[in-house]
Amino acid sequence: MTLINGLPAHVLLVHLVVVLVPLTALALVAAAVSRRAARRMGLVLPVLALVTLLGVPLTTQAGEWLERHVSDDALVRRHAELGDGLLPWAVGLFALAALVWWAARPATASGPDSAGGSFWSTTPVRVAAVVLSLAVAAGAVVDVYRIGDSGAKAAWHDGFSQSASNGDAAR
């Protein structure tokens, strides 16, 4: 993917990642902490995490295309390096979202323990799910922030004036 309506695709796709990664992280933590929240979200949780996971390499690929079409700059290289590190966090979000969804799904007609009921209700498993979810969610959100900050610096470091233009000064 290179251009969308004449604009570099990365510039548009990055908004998908900036919104979906924190949203997925928040949903994952809520579902891990509360079985009721996990059940209410249902299949939406792993589907949201899957869309997030698919959006990361798509955005990264579009960013690599854009990197080849802008001037060589240390800030752009740093942003690209940081961007390459988001995929493992997205994989972690998806894996944990799938696990939490599976473990919290309602029992089937076969019995209360057949659909993960006893698995999810054991304290060590719940604690591990919550701790892992918090760690991966925090890591993903911090990484998105760092990547976005470096991208904004790369895009805007020389792109604006500290003083207002003449037209703005009169207002």
Side-chain angles (χ1 to χ4, degrees), residues 1-90:
M1 183 162 298
T2 57
L3 298 173
I4 298 174
N5 200 27
L7 293 173
H10 181 72
V11 175
L12 300 171
L13 292 173
V14 72
H15 293 88
L16 177 80
V17 172
V18 166
V19 170
L20 288 183
V21 168
L23 183 63
T24 303
L26 181 62
L28 172 61
V29 169
V33 168
S34 167
R35 185 174 183 178
R36 182 176 178 199
R39 284 186 173 179
R40 289 188 77 142
M41 280 186 251
L43 198 55
V44 170
L45 177 63
V47 169
L48 175 64
L50 180 61
V51 171
T52 301
L53 175 59
L54 296 174
V56 169
L58 186 64
T59 303
T60 302
Q61 181 184 31
E64 289 170 355
W65 178 89
L66 182 58
E67 182 183 16
R68 292 188 302 272
H69 290 83
V70 297
S71 60
D72 188 32
D73 181 86
L75 292 173
V76 171
R77 284 192 306 275
R78 175 72 177 145
H79 174 65
E81 290 169 6
L82 288 172
D84 288 339
L86 185 58
L87 187 57
W89 292 113

Side-chain angles (χ1 to χ4, degrees), residues 17-18 20-26 28-29 52 56 82-94 96 130-148:
V17 172
V18 166
L20 288 183
V21 168
L23 183 63
T24 303
L26 181 62
L28 172 61
V29 169
T52 301
V56 169
L82 288 172
D84 288 339
L86 185 58
L87 187 57
W89 292 113
V91 169
L93 286 173
F94 174 71
L96 285 166
V130 170
V131 169
L132 280 172
S133 296
L134 283 168
V136 171
V141 170
V142 167
D143 207 32
V144 164
Y145 171 81
R146 291 178 62 224
I147 295 164

